[in-house]
Amino acid sequence: MTTTVAGLDSVTNDQVTAARATWSAFRRNPLGMISVGILVLLVVVAICAPLIATYPSGYGDQVLQAPSGAHWFGTDNLGRDIFAEVVWGARLSIVIAALSSALAIAIGVVVAVLGAYFPKVDTIVGTVVDLCLSLPVLPLMILVAALAGPSLVTLVLVIAFFSWPEVTRVVRSQALSVVRLPYMDAAKLTGGSSVWIIRKHLLPAVAPVIVVSVVLTASRAVLSAAGLAFLGLGDPTSWSWGRILYEAQQSGAMQSAWWTTLFPSLAMLFLVVSATLISIAYNDARNPRARED
């Protein structure tokens, strides 16, 4: 029994050492660190929106003005400052990404871990995940959002509901390989409960995959929210990057005023590309061969 406990402690120490080595390798990746900086900047902009720009509302006398010193990103068809719209749109877009990805990750990880640890449950989990992943996601998202009505809660729930199966698929594949390792059998021999083993050993082992899933799910949530808002299914009471594109399309400015769509599109591009590069850099940092190179 003493040998078994010592072995489990050794596994925990190895996980801590691996985490430190991963972070050290990640910091040496310039693309990864630049991407982190861009994401941090977007979050800071979202949090400090009231300090950066006045909330865009009402009408202005400078309609569809090109970018200038007075209006860095130009104005829309009602004379509102697009820079202010992008800044305030970052707040709602990131809130939707954070809430929907957190909900999707919570559901996906719980289902994946339970399925991997309990073989009888895994058959049901595998069938449900395969069924969900075979469905046409975008048409179903549009249908559900249209029936439920446009609101922040609707967007978060719809995006999370259609995102968790992908999280479950990725985490479950990693968890299935972990539960077959010898130290998991040793943990069972010590008399630990299933909850304790999952919390103490299984979840830490799949944590790197969960981190990648959080980043990628959040970026996909931004695109999904923008797509729904562009179709008029977003929250009509708050600014988002998708709403900026929707209003440009509805007013006809999309064809005549390039700046009405360029800047919100660039904001989404920066966020999605940064999230993708972070996940790639993180995976490279986790690879011992890449760390040696």
Side-chain angles (χ1 to χ4, degrees):
M1 182 68 69
T2 303
T3 303
T4 302
V5 174
L8 293 177
D9 292 338
S10 176
V11 170
T12 303
N13 293 332
D14 290 343
Q15 290 174 346
V16 174
T17 302
R20 292 175 179 172
T22 298
W23 170 239
S24 178
F26 184 88
R27 287 186 301 174
R28 294 195 297 268
N29 189 316
L31 283 179
M33 294 305 296
I34 292 173
S35 299
V36 170
I38 292 174
L39 280 185
V40 171
L41 176 62
L42 290 174
V43 172
V44 171
V45 168
I47 295 174
C48 301
L51 303 177
I52 299 174
T54 304
Y55 187 83
S57 60
Y59 304 90
D61 54 358
Q62 297 181 347
V63 177
L64 293 179
Q65 293 293 311
S68 62
H71 301 283
W72 294 351
F73 291 178
T75 61
D76 62 8
N77 63 302
L78 297 179
R80 295 171 298 201
D81 186 63
I82 295 179
F83 174 75
E85 294 176 0
V86 172
V87 168
W88 281 89
R91 169 170 286 194
L92 183 63
S93 298
I94 291 178
V95 166
I96 291 175
L99 294 178
S100 58
S101 63
L103 184 57
I105 292 295
I107 297 174
V109 170
V110 169
V111 174
V113 168
L114 291 179
Y117 191 82
F118 300 103
K120 293 182 180 180
V121 180
D122 187 55
T123 303
I124 301 175
V125 170
T127 303
V128 172
V129 169
D130 290 340
L131 177 62
C132 292
L133 292 176
S134 66
L135 297 175
V137 175
L138 183 59
L140 287 176
M141 289 178 68
I142 294 173
L143 176 62
V144 175
L147 293 176
S151 68
L152 174 61
V153 175
T154 298
L155 286 176
V156 170
L157 293 179
V158 167
I159 295 172
F161 180 78
F162 288 102
S163 299
W164 73 264
E166 180 63 25
V167 176
T168 298
R169 183 187 68 82
V170 175
V171 177
R172 173 173 166 264
S173 63
Q174 178 70 17
L176 284 173
S177 62
V178 172
V179 295
R180 299 187 180 98
L181 295 178
Y183 80 89
M184 292 295 292
D185 294 330
K188 295 177 182 178
L189 291 175
T190 61
S193 65
S194 298
V195 174
W196 180 83
I197 295 174
I198 291 174
R199 179 177 59 85
K200 188 71 175 178
H201 297 290
L202 185 53
L203 283 178
V206 299
V209 179
I210 297 175
V211 172
V212 175
S213 298
V214 168
V215 177
L216 294 179
T217 303
S219 65
R220 291 170 186 163
V222 170
L223 291 179
S224 299
L228 292 174
F230 180 73
L231 296 174
L233 299 174
D235 186 355
T237 63
S238 302
W239 283 103
S240 67
W241 294 333
R243 180 187 167 186
I244 302 173
L245 298 177
Y246 169 73
E247 296 207 351
Q249 189 270 338
Q250 289 293 305
S251 65
M254 184 175 288
Q255 290 77 25
S256 59
W258 54 267
W259 56 88
T260 58
T261 57
L262 175 64
F263 296 108
S265 300
L266 285 178
M268 287 186 285
L269 177 65
F270 284 141
L271 190 149
V272 173
V273 171
S274 297
T276 303
L277 291 177
I278 288 174
S279 64
I280 294 174
Y282 184 73
N283 280 328
D284 290 342
R286 288 175 54 212
N287 188 346
R289 294 180 180 178
R291 291 202 295 262
E292 292 174 0
D293 296 339

